[in-house]
Amino acid sequence: GNLGFTIIRCDDIETDGITGIVERIKRRIGDMPLYISIDIDVLDPAFAPATGTPECGGFSTRELFGILRGLAGHPIVGCDVVEVSPAYDHAEITSLAAATLVYELTCL
C-alpha cells in the first residue's frame, strides 16, 4: 500500500473546518489501522506554551480535540504525545493540554 504522508496545515481549519479535516484524514487512511502521534507544538502557544519549538498560529485545543473525536470508531493501534517541556510549563497549561489529549486518544 501507499505509506506516504499527507500534510494538513493549521490554516486548513479556516477553510475546511474540523469536519473537512476529519474527512480528509478518513479518505487518506481508509480502513487501515491508525497510529496517532501528536507533537504538542501543533497547538498554538496560547494553549501549549511549554514546548521546545512554540509555533504561533497552531490549532486550539478545541479544534484538535474535535479532529480526534471525529476519528472515534476507527481502529487505533497506538498513539503518543511528545515535546511537552515541564520546565517551561509555569502554569501547567501544556501539561493539562497533553494529559487531556492522552485522555481523548484513550477514549477513541
Side-chain angles (χ1 to χ4, degrees), residues 51-80:
T51 183
T53 314
E55 295 286 335
C56 291
F59 288 132
S60 71
T61 49
R62 182 175 46 98
E63 291 164 343
L64 187 53
F65 296 158
I67 292 168
L68 291 176
R69 290 172 186 156
L71 299 173
H74 194 86
I76 307 292
V77 296
C79 60
D80 61 55

Side-chain angles (χ1 to χ4, degrees), residues 3-70:
L3 300 176
F5 289 88
T6 298
I7 296 173
I8 297 173
R9 301 186 192 291
C10 291
D11 288 342
D12 294 342
I13 199 84
E14 297 296 321
T15 55
D16 299 343
I18 291 170
T19 303
I21 289 176
V22 169
E23 289 305 315
R24 285 173 57 188
I25 293 169
K26 288 181 175 180
R27 277 195 308 273
R28 174 66 180 90
I29 60 177
D31 294 331
M32 293 177 21
L34 184 60
Y35 186 98
I36 301 174
S37 182
I38 299 174
D39 188 323
I40 202 71
D41 67 14
V42 73
L43 294 174
D44 189 271
F47 303 96
T51 183
T53 314
E55 295 286 335
C56 291
F59 288 132
S60 71
T61 49
R62 182 175 46 98
E63 291 164 343
L64 187 53
F65 296 158
I67 292 168
L68 291 176
R69 290 172 186 156

